[in-house]
Amino acid sequence: MQETIVNVEGVNYRYSANLEAIRDVSFKVKKGERVGILGPNGAGKSTLAMLLAGLFVPASGDVQVFGVSTRSKEFERLRSKIGIVFQDPEDQLFNNTVLEDVSYSLRNLGVDKDSANRRSLETLEMLGVSHLKNRSPYRLSYGEKKRVSLATALVNSPDLLILDEPTANLDLKSRRGLVQLITLLNKQGMTIIVSTHDVEALPELVERVLIMENGKVISEGPVKSIITNEPLLSKASLEPPAISRLFMKLKARGLVDETPSSLDEAFLILEKALSKKNGSCT
């Protein structure tokens, strides 16, 4: 049986008496899973990500990570096993240089300067931004800031990585690189949670999806069944990926039998449909 990494039970969170951000949310994440939290802006995704990382504490209910409640003093010793990348990289970068930002958490844990710098440089190298080590984080492009923010989360080799809107404002090359990296980290055993409104990116990023609307989880399931469910997505002010919408129209006309969630799936469905058509013509 897979170990439960995250256990959320009946969680509620308020910013004020009149602003309830999370309402009675419960779910589990198993070791090695890639889980998406999908919803429009204002659905509560970022708040939930903060709760999972232990940066916010529930008003009621409980969040357990690695079997320990985030309310517990014992949770402090587990923080280094959790990496979080904020939606806005400027919220994560505050030192004079990139190297200082990436090594900051290591130095706080008592790692000596040489070892901290070595591990930080290795992480920056993995992300292809080691050449930025002496640059000010405030003088980087948005994409560079995103990569450096990710480095600050990965430098401790966390067991759980939480990404809040990781694909926002990324160009195509950076987006592909992010997808490849997340896939690699997951294959190496890291549990991944992605909070996003980017329906197009989800099939490549995660396997299971929780869909949120007005602070509540309204449905969950395999990524394909969620993001090709037009009525469900519409309820959350979202719509299926463009490739899925195209195939829904083709299916309605009897031209294909299935609805894909990704380009690779679409190719296979088209290939099958064309082979069937050519076979019936001979």
Side-chain angles (χ1 to χ4, degrees):
M1 182 180 292
Q2 278 182 298
E3 176 188 355
T4 296
I5 297 295
V6 175
N7 186 17
V8 179
E9 295 183 340
V11 165
N12 295 275
Y13 184 84
R14 291 178 179 270
Y15 284 108
S16 68
N18 299 319
L19 184 56
E20 191 175 33
I22 300 294
R23 299 185 291 152
D24 194 26
V25 167
S26 299
F27 65 93
K28 294 181 180 182
V29 177
K30 301 289 187 180
K31 181 177 176 60
E33 275 197 294
R34 287 182 291 145
V35 175
I37 302 170
L38 176 66
N41 292 332
K45 304 185 305 298
S46 294
T47 302
L48 184 55
M50 294 293 192
L51 286 161
L52 299 179
L55 299 175
F56 291 171
V57 176
S60 61
D62 196 28
V63 176
Q64 293 185 4
V65 184
F66 303 113
V68 176
S69 173
T70 57
R71 300 175 185 276
S72 168
K73 289 183 180 179
E74 187 185 354
F75 181 73
E76 289 300 316
R77 69 178 176 80
L78 298 174
R79 286 191 182 276
S80 63
K81 296 177 69 177
I82 304 169
I84 183 168
V85 181
F86 301 137
Q87 179 176 352
D88 185 349
E90 302 226 349
D91 291 338
Q92 201 143 356
L93 307 175
F94 51 85
N95 280 287
N96 292 324
T97 69
V98 164
L99 185 59
E100 288 175 2
D101 259 323
V102 178
S103 64
Y104 180 81
S105 62
L106 294 173
R107 289 184 282 113
N108 268 5
L109 291 169
V111 178
D112 67 85
K113 184 177 180 180
D114 288 344
S115 297
N117 285 347
R118 184 181 68 254
R119 283 170 59 180
S120 299
L121 286 170
E122 288 171 354
T123 305
L124 289 167
E125 181 70 32
M126 177 179 70
L127 293 170
V129 287
S130 58
H131 61 288
L132 303 175
K133 62 182 180 181
N134 295 320
R135 293 267 298 275
S136 165
Y138 305 107
R139 301 179 68 85
L140 303 178
S141 70
Y142 186 85
E144 289 170 339
K145 288 177 182 177
K146 279 275 197 178
R147 282 176 175 260
V148 173
S149 295
L150 184 54
T152 68
L154 293 177
V155 71
N156 283 316
S157 301
D159 295 320
L160 171 64
L161 179 63
I162 302 167
L163 301 147
D164 190 11
E165 298 288 0
T167 59
N169 301 312
L170 289 184
D171 59 35
L172 184 59
K173 182 179 179 181
S174 298
R175 184 184 179 120
R176 284 176 178 164
L178 176 69
V179 169
Q180 290 170 356
L181 177 63
I182 288 174
T183 301
L184 175 62
L185 293 171
N186 181 246
K187 285 181 178 178
Q188 293 172 348
M190 193 177 293
T191 304
I192 310 285
I193 298 176
V194 178
S195 166
T196 186
H197 68 276
D198 187 353
V199 181
E200 301 282 347
L202 271 182
E204 295 180 296
L205 289 171
V206 303
E207 301 159 317
R208 181 163 68 92
V209 176
L210 311 168
I211 185 164
M212 293 190 71
E213 192 253 342
N214 288 331
K216 296 193 72 173
V217 173
I218 61 172
S219 186
E220 66 174 288
V223 61
K224 182 175 179 178
S225 68
I226 293 292
I227 67 171
T228 58
N229 188 330
E230 198 166 19
L232 175 62
L233 292 177
S234 179
K235 184 178 179 182
S237 302
L238 298 167
E239 61 182 8
I243 194 70
S244 300
R245 299 198 307 274
L246 171 62
F247 272 71
M248 285 174 186
K249 292 181 179 180
L250 294 175
K251 187 177 179 182
R253 294 191 178 190
L255 298 172
V256 296
D257 299 324
E258 304 170 65
T259 301
S261 59
S262 67
L263 190 60
D264 287 343
E265 278 187 24
F267 177 81
L268 293 174
I269 292 170
L270 268 182
E271 188 176 45
K272 180 180 175 182
L274 290 171
S275 296
K276 184 177 179 182
K277 180 181 178 181
N278 290 338
S280 66
C281 291
T282 56

